[in-house]
Amino acid sequence: MKKTWLRNIGLGILSIFLFTWFLPSVASADAVVGETVVTLGQDLTQQERQAILNEMNVSNDVKIIEVTNAEEHQYLGKYLSKATIGSRALSSAKITLTDAGSGIKVQTHNITTITNTMYANALITAGVKDADVYVTAPKPVSGTAGLTGILKAFEAATGTKISEEQKQVANEEIVRTAELAKQIGSEKATEFMLRLKEEVAKQQPQTPEEFRDIVINVAGDLNINLTNQQITQLTQFTQNLSNLNINWDNVTNQLKNFQDQFQQVLNSKEAEGFFAMLVEWFTQLIEWIKSLFR
């Protein structure tokens, strides 16, 4: 039980901080800590809307915006069939801005496929950070469409615009991870996506063949059997990810934030060895990356 707990915690930390280091952040000049925005699926009944607002425990004056089914198709249509996306927008979300450096915390209800870590990965890919996120629906749903509402809520809360490229890559990440999870489980799928991004960051591939080699090699290391179609899809995903504007200047500062934020956990006897090893691994990785730019 303890090993499973430590493994899940480790994957969560890897998910959040690896992408915070390597991907651009959305500037939040108008962001106010504590600001809360709710997005509701446009096709909810009035009764469902009220039930979700009660579930979120928000005040009557909270800012509410709607997410349409057309928007869900806009960002998922490249990766999922129309039938899979559906014809009704039901997923809803609440986002609350938190202090700088606090990271992303995700909770879900009635979300059957997308895990908290998957959402955190995709949100940081989209440039979101420092927020508490709650995703829900009036009945069990996969959760793939939930990201659209979260991103819309973040834009409204901060007064900023997330680039279309980041939104597309974040949604693609949600879909690809969820597809892999059906085959190998959510934990291993998350680990695979992390390793992919780690290798892209390390190797800085330039050609489609180099991206493809990374996908194949990481899958081999983790004993994951991918179809040719999956290899092609994941190769394209890593290329799309690489095309985002990588911000290397934040690497050192983010490592310090990582160490400060988890100092209490590092000091616990139960997790001391595990997290010490994790920090050492991150330190070595950062030093290697920094050496590339000297």
Side-chain angles (χ1 to χ4, degrees):
M1 186 71 177
K2 288 182 179 179
K3 288 184 178 179
T4 301
W5 176 81
L6 287 173
R7 183 177 176 81
N8 288 337
I9 291 292
L11 285 173
I13 293 171
L14 283 168
S15 303
I16 293 173
F17 287 95
L18 188 59
F19 297 110
T20 302
W21 289 342
F22 295 145
L23 293 171
S25 298
V26 176
S28 304
D30 299 326
V32 177
V33 173
E35 179 80 11
T36 296
V37 173
V38 169
T39 60
L40 297 176
Q42 188 181 52
D43 298 305
L44 293 169
T45 66
Q46 191 58 44
Q47 184 178 2
E48 288 171 336
R49 288 169 64 98
Q50 191 56 55
I52 284 178
L53 291 175
N54 292 340
E55 178 188 328
M56 291 178 174
N57 192 29
V58 292
S59 60
N60 292 331
D61 61 347
V62 69
K63 184 172 184 177
I64 299 175
I65 55 180
E66 290 189 339
V67 176
T68 68
N69 184 247
E71 289 174 310
E72 295 175 347
H73 281 270
Q74 177 184 351
Y75 293 109
L76 293 169
K78 289 184 179 180
Y79 320 112
L80 296 173
S81 68
K82 290 183 178 180
T84 301
I85 301 171
S87 59
R88 301 177 66 209
L90 300 176
S91 296
S92 302
K94 178 180 76 169
I95 188 166
T96 303
L97 303 183
T98 55
D99 293 322
S102 60
I104 294 178
K105 299 179 180 66
V106 181
Q107 289 184 300
T108 61
H109 175 249
N110 272 344
I111 304 300
T112 61
T113 301
I114 308 303
T115 66
N116 298 357
T117 303
M118 290 180 194
Y119 276 125
N121 280 342
L123 286 171
I124 297 173
T125 296
V128 176
K129 64 179 182 178
D130 302 328
D132 288 343
V133 177
Y134 183 75
V135 191
T136 187
K139 62 181 181 180
V141 297
S142 68
T144 50
L147 184 64
T148 302
I150 303 171
L151 297 181
K152 198 170 183 179
F154 184 79
E155 288 180 318
T158 60
T160 59
K161 179 66 177 175
I162 299 172
S163 74
E164 289 300 306
E165 291 80 8
Q166 285 175 288
K167 288 180 181 178
Q168 287 289 344
V169 174
N171 276 280
E172 183 180 7
E173 178 178 341
I174 281 282
V175 172
R176 300 297 174 228
T177 311
E179 289 172 342
L180 276 175
K182 293 178 182 179
Q183 175 184 337
I184 60 178
S186 60
E187 187 175 286
K188 197 166 186 178
T190 301
E191 182 179 6
F192 174 77
M193 298 301 282
L194 288 168
R195 287 283 302 276
L196 270 189
K197 296 170 184 178
E198 173 196 339
E199 291 304 317
V200 169
K202 281 184 180 180
Q203 298 183 34
Q204 298 287 294
Q206 301 298 318
T207 67
E209 291 75 17
E210 290 173 339
F211 283 99
R212 184 181 177 87
D213 287 342
I214 288 176
V215 172
I216 293 172
N217 292 336
V218 172
D221 290 343
L222 296 176
N223 295 317
I224 298 172
N225 294 318
L226 299 176
T227 66
N228 287 332
Q229 182 182 12
Q230 287 174 316
I231 292 172
T232 299
Q233 290 172 339
L234 290 165
T235 298
Q236 185 60 59
F237 166 71
T238 54
Q239 289 179 274
N240 294 340
L241 179 73
S242 180
N243 288 335
L244 294 179
N245 183 25
I246 307 297
N247 187 346
W248 297 100
D249 293 335
N250 290 334
V251 173
T252 302
N253 289 336
Q254 291 299 332
L255 177 60
K256 183 179 185 303
N257 291 341
F258 166 78
Q259 292 170 322
D260 292 344
Q261 182 169 357
F262 290 94
Q263 191 59 51
Q264 291 182 343
V265 183
L266 285 167
N267 291 335
S268 72
K269 292 182 179 180
E270 184 179 37
E272 183 177 1
F274 174 83
F275 281 102
M277 179 180 65
L278 191 63
V279 170
E280 181 181 358
W281 181 87
F282 271 118
T283 303
Q284 292 173 352
L285 175 61
I286 297 307
E287 288 302 316
W288 184 89
I289 294 171
K290 287 165 64 179
S291 70
L292 296 179
F293 296 90
R294 288 176 186 148

